[in-house]
Amino acid sequence: MSGSRIVALGHYQPPKVLTNDDLAAIVDTDDEWIRSRVGIRTRHIAEGETLVDLATEAAQKALARSGRTAAEIDLVVVATCTAIERSPNTAAAVAARLGVRSPAAYDINTVCSGFSYALATADHAIRAGAARRALVIGAERMSDTLDWTDRSTCVIFGDGAGAAVVEAQEEGAEPGIGPVVWGSEPEKGDAVVITGWDPVISQQGQSVFRWATTQLAPLAREACERAGIDPAELKGFVPHQANLRIIDAIARKLGLADAVVARDVVDSGNTSAASIPLAFSKLVERGELSPGDPVLLFGFGGGLAYAGQVVRCP
């Protein structure tokens, strides 16, 4: 095979919306404080919906838009850091809900870079002939990890899921998913942690901010180079939706004046592994990107891990 491509995207967010004013009623914060530091005004919070529910909803939408059926899927990969069940894994549970028969199914946890990692592993499996068509999902219930008395974290995160149908391309066709640039800085792994059986997230906000704004632009540029494209040729940039100031800083360093830059963090908050497919799916749904457009996906965060690749818009 000459590679793989994204055929369709789908996303889902739970109906409950939590505004900055809602948070101000339960913790010492306000709308101006939150917007000035992270750029968020609302986030979605799951009530009575499990992680598998969120992932399944997004996957169903991606499948419907692709014109493929569950019977045609032979690989399911879920990127998440908020799975509660150890077994069966989230991917297997989603496959069972969808009626996918005998798939390879696994979860991957590199936190906020998870979707780009998952997309790369699916692309590699297809290139190797180990799979023909995959569902790649990023899904999180970050609200399960929050201390609602900690204003430094509870204002940042939200719940949601995004999914992509990925399939093999015919020999000789231009790859729709470019080579991945991935790695980590494990010596800085304590900058973002989720610990304990009753998990609580904590992070060193300033350390993560400095790392993201100073170290990641060259890595994102390398992903473009490996795909044989100049950043100026990009039509879209979908980074992990961590913080509006981080997104704008990386976009500025890449010189993306004419590209559509995803800023879904404003309305969805930080949804970790779900943030890239969620934001990407919305841009496509709204018609802000066109089929074939080159788009840079770049995830980063807990670990501290990162991954990015240039893809062609479905």
Side-chain angles (χ1 to χ4, degrees):
M1 296 296 173
S2 62
S4 66
R5 66 189 180 105
I6 297 175
V7 180
L9 296 159
H11 65 274
Y12 176 75
Q13 292 175 280
K16 180 179 175 60
V17 176
L18 197 65
T19 69
N20 291 344
D21 289 337
D22 292 332
L23 284 166
I26 61 175
V27 71
D28 182 19
T29 191
D30 58 47
D31 180 67
E32 190 280 330
W33 190 90
I34 297 170
R35 289 205 194 198
S36 66
R37 284 159 178 78
V38 292
I40 299 168
R41 63 186 180 192
T42 61
R43 70 287 292 148
H44 292 248
I45 302 297
E47 291 186 322
E49 292 175 289
T50 67
L51 178 67
V52 173
D53 292 333
L54 303 181
T56 301
E57 289 281 353
Q60 285 175 327
K61 291 181 178 180
L63 271 176
R65 289 170 178 168
S66 73
R68 285 26 171 202
T69 67
E72 297 176 271
I73 300 297
D74 56 8
L75 171 62
V76 181
V77 188
V78 174
T80 186
C81 67
T82 53
I84 296 174
E85 287 76 20
R86 302 300 193 267
S87 179
N89 62 31
T90 308
V94 171
R97 291 271 191 95
L98 295 173
V100 180
R101 294 291 182 182
S102 304
Y106 60 88
D107 292 358
I108 189 167
N109 177 8
T110 57
V111 200
C112 305
S113 59
F115 182 78
S116 283
Y117 266 81
L119 186 63
T121 64
D123 175 55
H124 296 165
I126 290 171
R127 286 175 180 269
R132 177 72 189 179
R133 187 170 288 114
L135 261 174
V136 182
I137 305 164
E140 301 284 17
R141 266 193 58 133
M142 295 303 295
S143 59
D144 285 343
T145 72
L146 297 179
D147 175 356
W148 292 100
T149 66
D150 178 8
R151 73 169 186 170
S152 68
T153 55
C154 74
V155 304
I156 296 174
F157 296 96
D159 302 334
V165 176
V166 179
E167 68 179 21
Q169 295 201 137
E170 296 304 320
E171 196 67 41
E174 181 183 6
I177 299 175
V180 68
V181 171
W182 55 7
S184 66
E185 295 189 26
E187 68 278 6
K188 298 178 181 177
D190 60 353
V192 182
V193 297
I194 302 174
T195 57
W197 287 103
D198 185 12
V200 176
I201 190 168
S202 62
Q203 64 176 3
Q204 299 168 15
Q206 287 302 313
S207 295
V208 175
F209 183 86
R210 285 193 298 272
W211 173 72
T213 55
T214 61
Q215 304 299 313
L216 298 184
L219 297 166
R221 189 176 297 277
E222 184 182 346
C224 294
E225 291 172 358
R226 291 194 186 183
I229 189 170
D230 188 277
E233 299 175 80
L234 291 170
K235 297 297 184 181
F237 177 44
V238 186
H240 166 49
Q241 302 293 292
N243 177 310
L244 191 58
R245 292 190 295 157
I246 291 174
I247 292 168
D248 289 341
I250 297 174
R252 186 168 55 252
K253 289 186 176 183
L254 291 174
L256 304 182
D258 297 324
V260 175
V261 178
R263 295 182 173 89
D264 188 52
V265 66
V266 174
D267 298 313
S268 301
N270 180 339
T271 55
S272 191
S275 77
I276 288 177
L278 183 60
F280 193 12
S281 179
K282 287 183 179 182
L283 291 179
V284 172
E285 184 177 75
R286 293 195 298 259
E288 295 184 45
L289 293 170
S290 301
D293 281 350
V295 180
L296 173 61
L297 312 181
F298 197 82
F300 56 88
L304 292 170
Y306 56 85
Q309 61 270 92
V310 175
V311 304
R312 294 286 171 175
C313 188

